[in-house]
Amino acid sequence: EVHLVESGGGLVQPGGSLRLSCAASGFTFSSYWMHWVRQDPGKGLVWVSRIDNDGSSTSYVGSVKGRFTISRDNAKNTLYLQMNSLRVEDTAVYYCARDPGTGAKYHDYWGQGTLVTVSS
Amino acid sequence: EIVLTQTPLSSPVTLGQPASISCRSSQSLLHSDGNTYLSWLQQRPGQPPRLLIYKISNRFSGVPDRFSGSGAGTDFTLKISRVEAEDVGVYYCMQATQFPRTFGQGTKVEIK
């Protein structure tokens, strides 16, 4: 069974940093693209970033470019999101999601999410 | 950036009756590889999103056949043939034809 478990969220001051992790199990992690998607409390979904299966290609939404870095460790079956220079508007639940990749391009499994709160 | 506009934003439905949600894109979602990367997700209260439909009309594993997707180009529809109590939640369309991937605003389905 596919499982995605996020961790690393919490309260951080504006300008601070956090690193989110997403531990994957139940599938061959290195065969899938992975994404981060966030959801402001009570609001809609916003795609944040994507990494291809071997980590050679990444993409970001404009509002986080230069501040967030997506990476993965296929040996540890883990996805990461390094978030620097955090802003109040980055406050959200962050989900990791799996994507079968080229020719597919959909998010078939999601984690439960981890809450990031940016506040002074 | 591609903008997806969903209508209606709220849909009160009687149990056993059909429901329909529209998703209109600001530009064609037909990819150069011939696929149209439009999917539908359901988010029940307090839960993460769940994939229902991918590439316009393909039901994901385990999704009941009362859910169906249709459309092409810029206009897409999710239909629930007979709404059940477990279908309450917010429904999102999402495009993956172009980066950044974008979502519709969400449509809240509730029981009358």
Side-chain angles (χ1 to χ4, degrees):
Chain A
E1 188 182 355
V2 174
H3 272 115
L4 298 170
V5 180
E6 301 93 338
S7 60
L11 175 63
V12 61
Q13 291 189 336
S17 298
L18 273 180
R19 188 175 84 154
L20 306 184
S21 299
C22 169
S25 60
F27 65 101
T28 304
F29 182 67
S30 59
S31 295
Y32 290 83
W33 294 5
M34 295 296 296
H35 298 257
W36 289 100
V37 176
R38 70 186 183 188
Q39 185 168 35
D40 292 1
K43 296 201 174 174
L45 300 166
V46 175
W47 175 83
V48 173
S49 183
R50 158 246 147 194
I51 188 166
D52 68 357
N53 57 308
D54 64 4
S56 60
S57 176
T58 60
S59 304
Y60 300 90
V61 69
S63 59
V64 309
K65 269 182 192 171
R67 300 189 299 123
F68 290 12
T69 303
I70 190 171
S71 62
R72 64 192 298 160
D73 185 335
N74 285 344
K76 294 183 178 179
N77 292 340
T78 304
L79 172 74
Y80 302 102
L81 186 67
Q82 177 66 44
M83 304 188 295
N84 298 331
S85 304
L86 280 161
R87 304 168 181 168
V88 171
E89 55 266 33
D90 295 318
T91 294
V93 174
Y94 285 73
Y95 296 102
C96 62
R98 190 183 85 160
D99 180 347
T102 302
K105 298 186 183 180
Y106 50 83
H107 302 169
D108 57 357
Y109 288 95
W110 296 64
Q112 289 295 315
T114 187
L115 176 62
V116 172
T117 303
V118 185
S119 174
S120 54
Chain B
E1 172 173 314
I2 293 176
V3 176
L4 299 179
T5 303
Q6 289 183 228
T7 54
L9 297 184
S10 179
S11 180
V13 185
T14 302
L15 286 173
Q17 292 300 300
S20 181
I21 301 170
S22 170
C23 176
R24 180 161 289 177
S25 175
S26 59
Q27 51 188 279
S28 175
L29 298 184
L30 178 62
H31 193 277
S32 56
D33 66 6
N35 289 306
T36 299
Y37 295 109
L38 187 283
S39 55
W40 290 94
L41 302 110
Q42 174 197 61
Q43 188 172 31
R44 292 170 172 150
Q47 295 293 314
R50 166 199 177 202
L51 179 67
L52 296 176
I53 302 283
Y54 62 94
K55 289 198 279 188
I56 302 177
S57 59
N58 296 275
R59 254 189 317 275
F60 186 57
S61 174
V63 174
D65 60 7
R66 64 179 181 275
F67 291 94
S68 64
S70 63
T74 60
D75 288 292
F76 305 92
T77 303
L78 175 71
K79 291 183 179 175
I80 310 174
S81 59
R82 295 171 306 279
V83 171
E84 298 189 4
E86 66 179 19
D87 299 336
V88 165
V90 180
Y91 291 76
Y92 296 93
C93 56
M94 187 202 84
Q95 69 80 23
T97 293
Q98 188 182 107
F99 282 112
R101 296 191 179 184
T102 49
F103 294 86
Q105 323 95 296
T107 295
K108 188 172 186 178
V109 171
E110 52 195 358
I111 305 302
K112 273 185 192 172

